[in-house]
Each structure stands twice: as C-alpha cells, then as structure tokens.
Amino acid sequence: VPEGGGPGLNGAFPLTINWTKGMHPAERLPDVGFRCEDLAIAHPQAKAMIDALGPVDGPVTITEGPMSLTCRIRRENGEMLSF
C-alpha cells in the first residue's frame, strides 16, 4: 500500500498479496462451476499499470481509456454474467 494509504493510479491500481508458502486460500473453496472468462481493465495510464504489474496470469486485458473494470463470468450452465 502506498504511503498515502490508498492504491495508486487514482485508486485504480490493484493491491496485491504475497501469500506465504502452503495452500493458497482459494484452494480451500469448493468449485461451484463459475469461471472468469475475461477481466478487462481500462485506464488513462494503462502503460504505467502494465509496467508496474508485469506479466498477468489469466484472461486479463489492460487498455488505455476512461477508467473502467468489466468482468465476464461463465456459470456452470453456460450462462454468462457481466459486471
């Protein structure tokens, strides 16, 4: 967390957690059939975000534009949810 107490890039920079060794907390959750199909991040300073994050694992895109965050999740029955 930056010195000011909030995430960088006007509140848009994701805070990260470096988990200690052992089982990641997500591994303890039951699989309920939801899958992240796409996480799209837009920000006026996208290059700064990309440079700071480095390689991102998963279906994530970061583009330059007005600040927005869109997530598409596929349910087990194939229904697509967008947030």
Side-chain angles (χ1 to χ4, degrees):
V1 176
E3 195 172 306
L9 295 175
N10 297 321
F13 193 82
L15 299 176
T16 58
I17 298 173
N18 290 323
W19 296 103
T20 57
K21 289 185 179 183
M23 186 185 300
H24 187 281
E27 294 172 6
R28 293 184 294 222
L29 296 172
D31 185 348
V32 294
F34 285 45
R35 299 290 180 266
C36 178
E37 293 291 322
D38 180 58
L39 180 64
I41 303 166
H43 193 278
Q45 297 173 319
K47 184 177 177 343
M49 186 178 290
I50 292 166
D51 290 346
L53 287 173
V56 178
D57 214 8
V60 179
T61 56
I62 302 172
T63 57
E64 191 166 321
M67 278 183 23
S68 70
L69 177 66
T70 305
C71 181
R72 291 185 321 124
I73 297 175
R74 182 178 308 279
R75 295 180 59 181
E76 191 172 281
N77 65 4
E79 178 185 10
M80 189 70 75
L81 306 172
S82 294
F83 303 93

